């Protein structure tokens, strides 16, 4: 809708102009502050006042937006064809994730193998750990949790029918 685009442009330009005038006001307040020294004026205030010159912004920025807007205000984007994205299988995405996080997964498999004798099949990962499957069980190796207070509580584990296994690295298990 063209009217919506015109209003949106007007609101954005007004917002930028308000920012410009507020910033100039702050610079004027700094300049008149009793704590203001020549170094502050020379190194910070004067360069910013030059950069934020209202007439320069009007001629070089706001007027250019007005000129360009007429060319694009009636632009209608073509709908995106997402059929290719929809055709990507979740297992392919899992393989990409697995390759991208290969080092974490290898380390988690090693930790699991050291603790239960099996290294497991990669299932997924998150910001705190790697999930691996062994037979009908799922194991989560918390490889990125450095503070044990951030681990799931015993109450949370009971709710999930899960439990910790005895190991130096926190690992939880439950039926898959």
């Amino acid at each position: 809708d063209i009217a919506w685009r015109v209003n949106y442009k007007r609101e954005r330009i007004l917002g930028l102009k308000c920012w410009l005038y507020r910033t100039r006001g702050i610079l004027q307040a700094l300049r008149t502050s009793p704590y203001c020294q020549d170094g502050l004026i020379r190194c910070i205030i004067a360069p910013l006042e030059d950069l934020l010159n209202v007439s320069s912004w009007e001629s070089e920025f706001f007027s250019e937006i007005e000129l360009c807007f007429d060319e694009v205000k009636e632009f209608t984007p073509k709908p995106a064809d997402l059929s290719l994205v929809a055709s990507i299988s979740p297992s392919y995405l899992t393989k990409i994730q697995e390759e991208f996080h290969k080092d974490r997964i290898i380390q988690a498999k090693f930790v699991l193998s050291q603790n239960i004798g099996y290294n497991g099949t990669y299932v997924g990962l998150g910001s705190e750990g790697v999930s691996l499957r062994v037979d009908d069980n799922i194991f989560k190796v918390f490889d990125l949790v450095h503070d044990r207070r951030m681990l799931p509580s015993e109450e949370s584990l009971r709710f999930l029918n899960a439990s910790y296994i005895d190991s130096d690295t926190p690992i939880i298990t439950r039926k898959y």
Side-chain angles (χ1 to χ4, degrees):
D1 180 47
I2 293 173
W4 181 86
R5 290 179 184 181
V6 170
N7 286 333
Y8 181 81
K9 176 203 56 140
R10 186 180 310 120
E11 288 174 10
R12 298 290 69 80
I13 288 176
L14 283 173
L16 283 170
K17 285 182 178 181
C18 288
W19 166 81
L20 179 63
Y21 284 105
R22 275 193 314 268
T23 306
R24 299 256 330 154
I26 291 170
L27 292 174
Q28 287 174 0
L30 280 174
R31 187 181 275 278
T32 60
S33 165
Y35 303 105
C36 186
Q37 299 173 355
D38 289 339
L40 182 65
I41 293 172
R42 190 177 61 258
C43 296
I44 296 176
I45 296 174
L48 284 174
E49 286 174 335
D50 289 342
L51 179 69
L52 301 174
N53 181 296
V54 174
S55 60
S56 296
W57 276 68
E58 287 289 346
S59 65
E60 297 172 16
F61 184 74
F62 297 122
S63 64
E64 288 299 316
I65 290 175
E66 294 293 343
L67 289 173
C68 296
F69 183 73
D70 285 338
E71 298 174 19
V72 298
K73 71 180 174 188
E74 295 183 36
F75 172 75
T76 304
K78 295 177 187 172
D81 179 12
L82 300 177
S83 60
L84 178 63
V85 174
S87 69
I88 298 173
S89 81
S91 64
Y92 181 71
L93 296 175
T94 300
K95 290 292 181 196
I96 292 171
Q97 184 184 47
E98 190 172 356
E99 183 61 31
F100 188 74
H101 296 284
K102 181 173 42 178
D103 294 339
R104 275 185 74 195
I105 295 166
I106 289 170
Q107 181 61 29
K109 286 181 176 186
F110 174 77
V111 168
L112 189 62
S113 175
Q114 293 294 307
N115 284 280
I116 68 164
Y118 300 98
N119 63 12
T121 304
Y122 172 73
V123 175
L125 60 84
S127 61
E128 71 285 331
V130 178
S131 296
L132 304 164
R133 182 177 178 181
V134 176
D135 299 324
D136 289 342
N137 295 309
I138 187 91
F139 295 87
K140 184 165 191 173
V141 179
F142 288 90
D143 63 331
L144 296 181
V145 175
H146 303 293
D147 183 351
R148 288 187 178 262
R149 294 177 296 179
M150 302 305 292
L151 292 168
S153 67
E154 293 291 340
E155 182 180 337
S156 298
L157 293 180
R158 277 192 301 278
F159 178 76
L160 297 169
N161 288 328
S163 61
Y164 285 105
I165 66 169
D166 186 31
S167 70
D168 292 336
T169 301
I171 302 172
I172 60 173
T173 184
R174 70 179 182 94
K175 289 289 182 197
Y176 187 67

